[in-house]
Amino acid sequence: MTTRTAAERRAEAGAAYNAYVAACPARQLLDRIGDKWVSLAINALADGPLRYSEVNQRLAGVSQKMLTQTLRNLERDGLLTRTVLPEVPVRVDYRLTPLGLELLPVMRTIKGWAEQHMDQVLVARAAYDARS
């Protein structure tokens, strides 16, 4: 019997993830990072830490409840940290973790693609709607 280290066991388990399987945690993570508020929050934090109110200002249209939920989920997934600073009033900063910074280029690319191709998508939608 071969003894494996914890890192080896994690690597083997990671190799077994398959996002096409409904119960796979990787699918759940894809669902999370595919959320528009997650993408925008990660992009908003690209240049460094922000206070809650600053994140809220950058994400026009997000409700307070949805922003709080999004930030908590990102913290739970290890993509950002929440730091409470002992000031009056209390200051809370959000910052991307190394894991979040690793995801950032993907999110920037998706955001950029959407902005760059929106005119084409609008034309395609209009053509589709005209046929329907």
Side-chain angles (χ1 to χ4, degrees), residues 100-129:
L101 288 168
E102 196 173 329
L103 179 60
L104 179 59
V106 175
M107 294 305 208
R108 278 185 168 161
T109 299
I110 292 169
K111 178 182 170 285
W113 184 92
E115 292 167 346
Q116 183 179 354
H117 293 90
M118 196 62 234
D119 287 339
Q120 292 168 277
V121 170
L122 291 172
V123 167
R125 286 178 182 174
Y128 179 90
D129 291 346

Side-chain angles (χ1 to χ4, degrees), residues 2-82:
T2 305
T3 304
R4 295 172 305 176
T5 66
E8 290 170 332
R9 289 191 303 273
R10 280 193 304 275
E12 287 174 12
Y17 293 138
N18 181 346
Y20 290 114
V21 175
C24 180
R27 180 182 276 198
Q28 295 164 0
L29 182 58
L30 282 173
D31 184 45
R32 169 101 67 233
I33 63 176
D35 178 83
K36 69 179 173 186
W37 298 122
V38 167
S39 174
L40 293 172
I42 289 174
N43 277 290
L45 292 165
D47 296 326
L50 294 175
R51 297 176 80 161
Y52 181 93
S53 61
E54 295 169 320
V55 177
N56 191 39
Q57 288 172 354
R58 291 198 184 181
L59 277 62
V62 68
S63 70
Q64 191 170 9
K65 177 182 176 184
M66 183 54 67
L67 180 57
T68 298
Q69 181 180 337
T70 298
L71 294 172
R72 282 183 184 156
N73 287 335
L74 289 172
E75 183 180 14
R76 181 172 183 249
D77 289 341
L79 299 173
L80 66 77
T81 58
R82 177 182 184 269

